[in-house]
Amino acid sequence: MASLVANKRFFDDTHFPYGFRRSGDFTLKQAELLEACGHKMLALEQGHHQPESDDEQHFIRVCRGECPAQTLEEKTWVVYREALIRKGRVLNLFTSYHADVEEEEYESDDD
């Protein structure tokens, strides 16, 4: 899917501040694919770019969950999206923990 290669490198500094290679979520090949094709993949997924081939149309169907990923590019994008979901869950895990716990007064038995 050479049509997915973009002119500029794709980085997600918000979720992967040290890069895709150092995140531990991707293989070296997946990190390279994301950097090379990520801009166009994101544009296709969000509808900012119209598909120009059957491969790109299939990629959009994969993004919508209509069919399973078949190519390395599609599988890499699925791994990327799942990593974003995992990172979101980790960040939300402890955010409301202390707000939901009511403090109780404990009396000492020493009285």
Side-chain angles (χ1 to χ4, degrees):
M1 291 190 18
S3 65
L4 289 176
V5 177
N7 293 336
K8 71 181 205 180
R9 308 294 276 170
F10 176 68
F11 300 101
D12 185 351
D13 292 333
T14 304
H15 299 102
F16 303 97
Y18 300 107
F20 299 120
R21 295 170 194 228
R22 292 185 169 185
S23 70
D25 293 303
F26 309 102
T27 65
L28 183 59
K29 182 67 176 171
Q30 289 172 333
E32 290 172 358
L33 272 171
L34 283 173
E35 289 176 9
C37 304
H39 278 291
K40 191 149 186 192
M41 290 175 165
L42 183 63
L44 284 168
E45 181 185 43
Q46 294 179 345
H48 299 297
H49 184 77
Q50 295 301 317
E52 298 171 353
S53 66
D54 290 337
D55 290 336
E56 290 181 2
Q57 186 61 41
H58 187 267
F59 177 80
I60 292 172
R61 287 196 304 271
V62 169
C63 292
R64 292 179 184 159
E66 296 172 1
C67 57
Q70 296 176 346
T71 65
L72 180 60
E73 291 84 358
E74 292 168 350
K75 291 176 183 180
T76 299
W77 192 252
V78 168
V79 170
Y80 170 73
R81 300 304 289 167
E82 289 173 352
L84 290 179
I85 291 169
R86 276 194 314 275
K87 288 187 179 296
R89 287 185 183 159
V90 170
L91 293 175
N92 292 332
L93 183 63
F94 296 107
T95 55
S96 63
Y97 175 75
H98 293 292
D100 294 338
V101 176
E102 293 182 20
E103 291 186 28
E104 297 180 15
E105 293 183 28
Y106 293 99
E107 294 185 24
S108 174
D109 291 337
D110 296 339
D111 293 337

